[in-house]
């Protein structure tokens, strides 16, 4: 076990130096990977949760809850950048590998932990996805921590009254915590949470709560998660593509890169997609890729965690 862990730590170091050329070797879990430098906090909390006897799903939920609490980067949780009408609407989803179960919430207002709400939907309803008011009611019904959103009505009214020729809201300042886990039994779990694109239209839903787009888990293969411009990721079902590529035998690193190449090849925007992915497989190998920017993310094992960075993929000549 010690030798395997040393291999994983060495792999982190090698990966940082030569992403796209040096795929990580296999590693037996627990292992976690998360988007962005703030993902290190999520990975650490998740691994501690598992070390204390929690399941992989508990690790994912607790790791993401911490980021929601901190509203890291101002893009996750209620401290995230508000929508065009001036209030946050949150998206999240969670997937449990062993029974291929999932829960998802979108456009939720005033609920402190949308990831927990997504898990409640999965475990305590007959549904997979709840949105907006209904998702909030379900959260309140299940005693989830909430804040007063009565002020939103006034904000909505002001926004609805705005001059109709006003410039369309710019979607900026977006990030997502996507957190993937492989536990010591070889089971796979994942979750993600975001306040979505800042200044999005009220009611806009991004990729994050859409299964197969912002997150996908298949316990026989592995998991993938996304961050970036949801409009681009969801048109390509990015996370599902990556898991399917891994099913065909690709290493997670190659699968993340291949998904971006395929998306760019089939899209008028080419590589200007602002799409970033992380992935891990059942053998404990992992990878990450980004379409057109440097992408820092976090990886951890019980021996420690680290933030590593991949550069944008080198574009392949577009075939069109
Ligand atoms: N993917 C998220 C969204 O579009 C935001 C992000 O990850 O940057 O809602």
């Amino acid at each position: 076990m010690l030798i395997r862990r040393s291999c994983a730590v060495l792999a982190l170091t090698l990966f940082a130096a030569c992403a796209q050329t040096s795929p990580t070797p296999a590693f037996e879990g627990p292992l976690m990977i998360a988007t962005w430098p703030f993902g290190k906090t999520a990975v650490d909390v998740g691994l501690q949760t598992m070390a204390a006897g929690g399941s992989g799903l508990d690790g994912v939920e607790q790791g993401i809850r911490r980021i929601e609490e901190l509203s890291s980067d101002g893009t996750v949780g209620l401290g995230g950048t508000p929508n065009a009408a001036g209030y946050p609407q949150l998206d999240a989803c969670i997937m449990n590998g062993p029974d291929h179960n999932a829960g998802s919430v979108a456009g939720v207002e005033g609920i402190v932990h949308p990831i927990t709400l997504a898990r409640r939907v999965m475990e305590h309803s007959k549904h997979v996805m709840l949105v907006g008011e209904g998702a909030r009611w379900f959260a309140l019904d299940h005693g989830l921590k909430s804040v007063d959103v009565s002020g939103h009505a006034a904000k909505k009214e002001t926004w609805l009254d705005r001059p109709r020729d006003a410039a369309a809201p710019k979607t900026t300042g977006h990030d997502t915590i996507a957190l993937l886990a492989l536990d010591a039994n070889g089971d796979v779990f994942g979750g993600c949470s975001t306040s979505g694109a800042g200044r999005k239209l009220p009611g806009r839903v991004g990729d994050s709560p859409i299964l197969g787009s912002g997150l996908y888990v298949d316990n026989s293969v592995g998991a993938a998660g996304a961050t970036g411009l949801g409009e681009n990721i969801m048109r390509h079902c990015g996370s599902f593509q990556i898991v399917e590529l891994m099913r065909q035998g690709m290493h997670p690193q190659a699968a993340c890169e291949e998904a971006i190449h395929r998306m760019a090849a089939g899209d008028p925007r080419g590589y200007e997609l602002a799409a970033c992915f992380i992935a891990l497989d059942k053998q404990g190998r992992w990878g990450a890729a980004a379409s057109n920017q440097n992408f820092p993310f976090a990886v951890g094992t019980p021996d420690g965690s680290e933030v590593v960075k991949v550069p944008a993929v080198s574009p392949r000549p577009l075939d069109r």
Side-chain angles (χ1 to χ4, degrees):
M1 179 66 96
L2 256 182
I3 291 173
R4 261 197 312 264
R5 288 198 177 144
S6 307
C7 281
V9 171
L10 181 65
L12 283 177
T13 317
L14 285 176
F15 184 90
C18 45
Q20 299 182 52
T21 55
S22 175
T24 56
F27 171 68
E28 200 171 287
L31 173 77
M32 291 188 106
I33 179 166
T35 49
W36 304 117
F38 59 69
K40 183 175 182 316
T41 302
V43 163
D44 291 343
V45 170
L47 287 166
Q48 281 157 19
T49 303
M50 285 196 269
S55 66
L57 196 70
D58 295 333
V60 165
E61 181 188 3
Q62 293 306 321
I64 293 179
R65 277 176 68 98
R66 180 64 57 83
I67 305 302
E68 290 173 339
E69 251 157 48
L70 299 171
S71 278
S72 294
D73 247 12
T75 59
V76 179
L78 287 174
T81 316
N83 65 15
Y87 56 91
Q89 289 186 311
L90 309 181
D91 299 337
C93 76
I94 195 161
M95 283 192 83
N96 188 52
D99 60 0
H100 202 72
N101 214 350
S104 166
V105 292
V108 188
E109 295 174 27
I111 300 301
V112 179
H113 291 299
I115 191 65
T116 297
L117 177 54
R119 183 168 178 178
R120 289 292 160 89
V121 170
M122 176 173 87
E123 293 178 340
H124 298 280
S125 86
K126 294 193 165 106
H127 308 301
V128 167
M129 185 171 199
L130 293 178
V131 303
E133 281 289 294
R136 180 171 165 83
W137 291 340
F138 184 84
L140 299 179
D141 226 31
H142 285 77
L144 264 59
K145 206 166 155 191
S146 62
V147 298
D148 179 15
V149 295
S150 51
H152 289 190
K155 288 182 180 168
K156 281 174 196 170
E157 223 165 280
T158 319
W159 187 76
L160 287 170
D161 280 350
R162 80 200 189 286
R164 277 294 179 266
D165 58 357
K170 284 202 174 64
T171 51
T172 54
H174 46 84
D175 279 343
T176 296
I177 177 69
L179 177 61
L180 311 176
L182 174 75
D183 74 7
N185 301 322
D187 288 323
V188 186
F189 309 84
C192 63
S193 179
T194 186
S195 53
R199 305 204 50 72
K200 62 190 178 185
L201 289 177
R204 177 267 192 188
V205 173
D207 60 308
S208 307
I210 307 297
L211 303 170
S213 289
L215 179 77
Y216 196 66
V217 174
D218 183 318
N219 209 40
S220 60
V221 179
T227 181
L229 193 54
E231 279 72 9
N232 292 342
I233 296 161
M234 65 203 292
R235 286 183 297 106
H236 293 275
C237 295
S239 295
F240 182 74
Q241 277 204 43
I242 291 168
V243 172
E244 287 307 303
L245 289 165
M246 294 193 296
R247 187 192 306 281
Q248 290 161 26
M250 272 195 190
H251 187 284
Q253 179 61 32
C256 288
E257 292 173 17
E258 178 62 23
I260 285 177
H261 291 308
R262 285 187 182 189
M263 287 165 66
D267 200 299
R269 297 154 194 81
Y271 284 86
E272 297 300 314
L273 292 169
C276 310
F277 294 105
I278 53 172
L280 61 72
D281 70 10
K282 208 146 164 81
Q283 293 76 50
R285 304 175 302 174
W286 47 268
S291 57
N292 53 331
Q293 65 184 95
N294 286 331
F295 175 40
F297 59 98
V299 190
T301 70
D303 283 346
S305 63
E306 204 176 329
V307 173
V308 287
K309 200 193 287 187
V310 278
V313 294
S314 307
R316 250 180 356 212
L318 296 180
D319 179 23
R320 58 166 84 99

